[in-house]
Amino acid sequence: MPYIIAEPCIGTKDAACVAVCPVDCIYEGEDQYYINPDECIDCGACEPECPVEAIFADDSVPDQFTSFVEKNRNFFGA
Ligand code: SF4
């Protein structure tokens, strides 16, 4: 289960997650950061680092953010 980044990142882009990701799979997009689902090793290190709680395991995404699972994948052309 890769992790995904949801709406709270938009307008925030704190990037604390980028610093802790052991495989450098978090990439900067125009409006938010994105996690490459093919590179994420599901370690969970990024989730508690986010100051706006934008990061979720993709099977634990709150209903209002489910579209961000696809948005993350689309960013990488998946
Ligand atoms: Fe990186 Fe781990 Fe977060 Fe995946 S779960 S994006 S590997 S820090």
Side-chain angles (χ1 to χ4, degrees):
M1 284 305 152
Y3 281 66
I4 68 104
I5 300 177
E7 188 172 26
C9 186
I10 298 174
T12 304
K13 293 180 77 178
D14 179 82
C17 57
V18 176
V20 300
C21 179
V23 294
D24 293 331
C25 69
I26 305 176
Y27 297 87
E28 185 172 7
E30 199 167 308
D31 56 345
Q32 67 167 96
Y33 281 87
Y34 296 97
I35 295 172
N36 187 322
D38 295 326
E39 298 177 0
C40 175
I41 59 170
D42 311 337
C43 71
C46 55
E47 186 181 3
E49 295 300 320
C50 180
V52 292
E53 298 183 11
I55 305 177
F56 303 92
D58 77 351
D59 62 350
S60 304
V61 180
D63 286 347
Q64 70 269 34
F65 297 147
T66 51
S67 66
F68 283 80
V69 176
E70 193 178 351
K71 189 181 179 194
N72 272 245
R73 289 187 183 281
N74 288 344
F75 181 76
F76 298 100

